[in-house]
Amino acid sequence: QVQLVESGGGSVQAGGSLRLSCEASGYLLLSKCLAWFRQAPGKEREALVSENGGGGVTVYVNSVKGRFTISQDNVKNTMYLQMDSLKPEDTAMYYCAARDAYDCFSQPSLYNHWGQGTQVTVSS
């Protein structure tokens, strides 16, 4: 059974940092497309950043460029999202996702496995 278990969300003041973790079980993250999404209340789920099976990174939202970094630890079979210089508009539920393929896309429907979500709240 494939499980992606997220942790690391919480409340932080503007300008602060958080690191989200997504540990996989029953599934190897190596050489897969991995991505982070977020969904704010009343809005659609949006792709933030992905890393394809070869390590190529794509950032889908301009506002997170230079602030959010995706990475993975193959020994721990865990992916991460480092979020720096957080802003109130970053407040949302954050999800990790994995796709049973090398290439990444921004459409949520193309991802096979999802974490349960973790809430990030940034106060001004």
Side-chain angles (χ1 to χ4, degrees):
Q1 182 182 359
V2 176
Q3 277 194 310
L4 301 181
V5 179
E6 297 183 45
S7 60
S11 297
V12 64
Q13 289 192 326
S17 298
L18 285 172
R19 189 177 79 156
L20 307 183
S21 300
C22 175
E23 183 176 4
S25 60
Y27 185 80
L28 280 179
L29 297 180
L30 184 65
S31 300
K32 303 293 197 308
C33 162
L34 309 175
W36 287 93
F37 290 74
R38 70 184 177 191
Q39 187 168 16
K43 294 189 176 182
E44 293 187 352
R45 190 170 298 190
E46 65 173 351
L48 296 172
V49 59
S50 66
E51 182 174 338
N52 66 23
V57 174
T58 301
V59 179
Y60 299 98
V61 177
N62 284 335
S63 65
V64 308
K65 281 184 179 179
R67 299 191 299 121
F68 289 11
T69 304
I70 188 173
S71 63
Q72 61 176 301
D73 184 326
N74 293 326
V75 174
K76 295 182 178 180
N77 205 32
T78 299
M79 58 190 286
Y80 303 97
L81 182 67
Q82 177 67 41
M83 304 186 295
D84 299 316
S85 302
L86 283 161
K87 304 175 181 180
E89 51 264 43
D90 294 320
T91 295
M93 187 73 78
Y94 283 70
Y95 298 90
C96 61
R99 187 166 179 269
D100 293 340
Y102 180 98
D103 291 320
C104 293
F105 300 91
S106 62
Q107 297 96 315
S109 62
L110 296 179
Y111 287 78
N112 305 97
H113 311 287
W114 290 86
Q116 81 279 14
T118 187
Q119 178 67 38
V120 171
T121 303
V122 184
S123 57
S124 57

